Amino acid sequence: MKLKGRVALITGAGSGFGREIAIQMAREGAKIGVNDIHRRAVEGTLEALEQIGSEGLALEADVGNVDQVKRMFEKTVSKWGTIDILVNNAGIAVKPEWKEYQELHNRAVLKAVDEVMKTGKVQESMKVTSAFQDEWWHATLNVNLNGTFYCTREALKTMEVKGRGKIINMASITGVQGEPNVPAYAASKGGIIAFTKSLAKEVIGSGIQVNAVAPGYCGTPLLNSIDQQLLTILKTQIPIGRLGTAREVASLVVYLATDDADYIVGQVIGVNGGLGI
Ligand SMILES: NC(=O)c1ccc[n+]([C@@H]2O[C@H](COP(=O)([O-])OP(=O)(O)OC[C@H]3O[C@@H](n4cnc5c(N)ncnc54)[C@H](O)[C@@H]3O)[C@@H](O)[C@H]2O)c1
């Protein structure tokens, strides 16, 4: 058990990568603070932890809300006395209520693909950013980037005193190489990468390792909004020929949280089936 007795707080742990990270860290002996904005999602992960005989703490909170984040860290430290590992995993690409954006995005990509098939090149701008609404921009940046900052700030208050800690941020291949039609998501993930590298240099003197994981396309509910035809096209571009799984991303995150990864500092590690070579 490589994380025996360690206290981990995982954001967005009610689904996809976050739930799998919680389960895998619990199997390694960690106590898990289970954060999610949705109560039912938190409960589902706590049930999974209970089944493997592990200790979990319900932390229903919006990571984009400073006061809720502060209360969530206070609750964790008051229960377990410390925080050893923070995984900033909560993230959104598109909200279910943003139907207009989903349609705009899917239409733009399929049109571009059609143009390439017929003429060999894209004929004009995909015109998503010029129609992008302020609400979509601010909400995405607030959850993905502000949320990462708010949680990190609270975790550091404990880790800097303790002189030890692991922070793992969930970036994306989109933040590394860019992707058309997702301006806010790409900016948030690019921001997370720059934040990770800068912070890693700042806090390593206190024995705190900060790294990021940058997955490619993986089969989680986050991809539900993508048009099926589009997903089929996407898969053809992934050298390994399939989507990734939550298990494959989680195992890297768990490794980064262990002492085995102590010499890995400020890195952005891809898990992408070869998409980012
Ligand atoms: N699935 C992919 O292909 C993929 C690829 C690259 C990066 N990622 C990133 O991985 C992370 C996890 O995504 P996933 O694929 O597991 O998606 P997911 O939708 O299954 O899980 C995300 C979780 O975050 C929670 N969440 C959303 N807003 C929140 C908030 N404000 N506060 C707290 N919790 C909130 C959701 O309720 C959900 O349970 C995200 O940061 C995402 O951007 C995913």
Side-chain angles (χ1 to χ4, degrees):
M1 285 205 180
K2 295 198 165 182
L3 298 174
K4 195 160 177 49
R6 304 269 164 93
V7 174
L9 195 160
I10 304 163
T11 68
S15 171
F17 296 164
R19 178 172 291 181
E20 184 61 27
I21 294 164
I23 291 169
Q24 290 194 20
M25 283 195 179
R27 287 201 183 111
E28 289 296 335
K31 299 172 200 165
I32 313 290
V34 178
N35 160 262
D36 206 280
I37 196 168
H38 296 121
R39 179 190 299 266
R40 196 50 219 115
V42 171
E43 287 168 357
T45 299
L46 288 174
E47 280 162 25
L49 295 181
E50 211 176 294
Q51 277 170 19
I52 55 176
S54 164
E55 207 179 339
L57 177 66
L59 298 170
E60 185 189 341
D62 175 356
V63 296
N65 180 307
V66 184
D67 293 332
Q68 290 182 25
V69 167
K70 284 189 175 156
R71 279 199 295 276
M72 159 168 102
F73 278 83
E74 280 160 15
K75 190 175 171 186
T76 308
V77 174
S78 98
K79 179 164 172 73
W80 286 321
T82 194
I83 292 187
D84 300 294
I85 301 158
L86 168 66
V87 184
N88 284 308
N89 165 77
I92 56 169
V94 50
K95 284 190 165 185
E97 58 266 35
W98 299 346
K99 289 267 175 275
E100 205 182 322
Y101 173 41
Q102 277 181 38
E103 285 164 17
L104 182 69
H105 175 277
N106 289 334
R107 221 175 24 246
V109 181
L110 291 172
K111 178 172 174 285
V113 170
D114 188 54
E115 285 169 3
V116 171
M117 301 292 277
K118 287 185 178 143
T119 71
K121 69 187 266 293
V122 179
Q123 294 298 313
E124 60 174 0
S125 161
M126 296 185 215
K127 297 179 181 165
V128 170
T129 302
S130 51
F132 209 75
Q133 294 180 13
D134 290 356
E135 187 210 341
W136 306 338
W137 178 269
H138 292 301
T140 309
L141 269 288
N142 192 47
V143 176
N144 298 5
L145 188 56
N146 295 356
T148 295
F149 162 62
Y150 297 150
C151 291
T152 300
R153 181 169 58 184
E154 293 312 306
L156 286 175
K157 288 174 187 169
T158 298
M159 291 176 179
E160 285 177 339
V161 172
K162 190 172 185 170
R164 200 179 77 189
K166 300 273 189 183
I167 298 176
I168 299 130
N169 296 326
M170 196 57 73
S172 164
I173 193 168
T174 302
V176 178
Q177 60 186 40
E179 185 182 325
N181 309 317
V182 290
Y185 186 76
S188 72
K189 295 300 181 179
I192 286 171
I193 289 170
F195 178 65
T196 300
K197 292 178 180 176
S198 299
L199 185 71
K201 291 180 179 178
E202 176 187 331
V203 301
I204 190 61
S206 288
I208 304 163
Q209 282 93 3
V210 186
N211 289 290
V213 170
Y217 297 99
C218 300
T220 73
L222 194 91
L223 295 196
N224 286 350
S225 63
I226 298 188
D227 180 272
Q228 282 310 303
Q229 196 185 345
L230 190 54
L231 207 53
T232 307
I233 296 167
L234 271 174
K235 276 189 224 167
T236 64
Q237 293 166 7
I238 306 172
I240 204 170
R242 64 168 176 84
L243 299 179
T245 65
R247 189 180 53 77
E248 289 165 324
V249 173
S251 55
L252 173 61
V253 174
V254 175
Y255 169 69
L256 288 172
T258 67
D259 296 347
D260 291 345
D262 276 356
Y263 204 59
I264 302 180
V265 176
Q267 299 302 302
V268 181
I269 306 179
V271 192
N272 53 40
L275 185 62
I277 297 172

